[in-house]
Amino acid sequence: AAYVSEAWVNVDPYISESLIVHVTAGLQPVEFNDGRVVGRDDLRLDAQFPLALRLHLGAAPLSADVVVGARPTTERTDDWAPPFWAARLGAGRASAASAWQVDAVAVGGEMINPPGVTLGESDPDYTTLGVYGRADVGRVRAVLDGYAQPFHDGGTALLGGGRLGWAFGGDARVVLGATVEGKSGADDSPAFQRPWGDAEDGVGPLARYRSMGQGDGALGAGLFADAVVTPGFRVDTAVWHYRDGTGVPSGVEFDMDARLYFGPLVNLHLRSGLFGDGENPVRADTALTLDVQI
């Protein structure tokens, strides 16, 4: 069977030279802040994207995004998961020598239980609050962020991480570095949630932590390499080593995101992840899509 996974319209009304306005409506990938809590885990391995309305405003150095929507269920029926909303307010500058961005983020919606986790029924809604910062200074590439979910029923869950890299080549063609990621919470706190997504199909630490259960801490450390092989071919890779809340190793994962550009409007996109915990068969998730803008 064939399914429509992405179809949207974009309107850019002219307000003034200093104010940028973008309005996008339809089935669309939604992501900001490198996909930290909005994006990356939005069922894209199955080419499923939420039905959403997004408003972007920009008046340098300030910018803001507001998104409301819902995603299709994993069964690809006409059913829709509960709606979500997301907002970002930030400031940033970019020049030839440096760039920086600082954002405040808020996300909300109805709780979606991860596997093996039963949540209280008195108020299943959740809210995520967080901050995100990114700085490129010379050859240094740094990211630092943290998020909290003050659940109405069941404590608070925390998530945070950092990334530090060094760019090689006059055009920063290769960036190598290290990264850490972790989550924590009280024994009665639910697992850290995302506005939409499926832990069974996700790759990377954010998806992995979501499946590690209620109130369990977890830590991941990794190495990454982002490379522009040719002007039309880019590959981002990372290898992760995970430990659970007691410090016991819980698995190793290799992630890859590659794009081959045939022009400014067409590219072939490969996303893949391999995960093994030493006890079960190695799990692999792969998606290959042809992205075309018309």
Side-chain angles (χ1 to χ4, degrees):
Y3 302 91
V4 175
S5 297
E6 184 175 354
W8 46 265
V9 295
N10 183 67
V11 180
D12 298 326
Y14 177 80
I15 305 298
S16 71
E17 293 292 341
S18 59
L19 178 61
I20 298 174
V21 178
H22 297 302
V23 180
T24 309
L27 286 168
Q28 58 181 299
V30 178
E31 179 176 310
F32 45 78
N33 293 150
D34 300 327
R36 302 292 295 137
V37 292
V38 178
R40 290 268 172 91
D41 195 22
D42 55 4
L43 300 184
R44 64 166 59 188
L45 285 175
D46 290 331
Q48 296 189 53
F49 299 104
L51 178 64
L53 175 66
R54 178 172 183 170
L55 171 65
H56 172 81
L57 301 175
L62 303 177
S63 63
D65 287 276
V66 178
V67 182
V68 292
R71 66 168 177 82
T73 61
T74 57
E75 291 80 11
R76 287 189 179 276
T77 66
D78 292 332
D79 298 329
W80 292 84
F84 70 88
W85 60 267
R88 180 196 64 84
L89 177 62
R93 290 285 192 183
S95 67
S98 65
W100 61 271
Q101 181 74 33
V102 177
D103 290 336
V105 180
V107 185
E110 185 173 327
M111 183 67 68
I112 301 174
N113 292 356
V117 177
T118 300
L119 304 171
E121 297 180 355
S122 62
D123 192 349
D125 294 345
Y126 71 93
T127 300
T128 302
L129 305 174
V131 292
Y132 168 94
R134 182 185 188 101
D136 298 345
V137 181
R139 296 187 179 276
V140 177
R141 305 290 185 266
V143 176
L144 186 66
D145 62 357
Y147 306 90
Q149 287 181 340
F151 293 98
H152 300 292
D153 182 20
T156 299
L158 305 174
L159 176 80
R163 174 181 167 109
L164 184 64
W166 185 267
F168 294 86
D171 54 357
R173 181 158 294 217
V174 178
V175 179
L176 302 178
T179 180
V180 295
E181 195 81 52
K183 77 156 191 173
S184 65
D187 291 340
D188 59 348
S189 67
F192 194 90
Q193 300 289 295
R194 295 170 62 78
W196 64 91
D198 186 352
E200 295 300 320
D201 288 334
V203 296
L206 295 180
R208 197 65 54 207
Y209 296 156
R210 187 176 185 270
S211 65
M212 284 184 176
Q214 185 169 347
D216 295 333
L219 178 68
L223 301 174
F224 70 88
D226 300 339
V228 179
V229 181
T230 68
F233 183 43
R234 180 184 181 114
V235 179
D236 298 339
T237 61
V239 59
W240 290 91
H241 182 258
Y242 300 105
R243 292 181 179 270
D244 62 20
T246 63
V248 177
S250 58
V252 176
E253 182 166 338
F254 173 79
D255 299 333
M256 180 175 66
D257 190 308
R259 285 184 183 269
L260 177 62
Y261 292 88
F262 300 101
L265 303 179
V266 182
N267 70 86
L268 192 64
H269 193 182
L270 173 67
R271 291 153 289 188
S272 182
L274 298 174
F275 177 79
D277 58 11
E279 298 179 357
N280 300 306
V282 174
R283 172 186 149 193
D285 294 307
T286 301
L288 180 64
T289 61
L290 181 65
D291 299 340
V292 180
Q293 297 183 42
I294 300 176

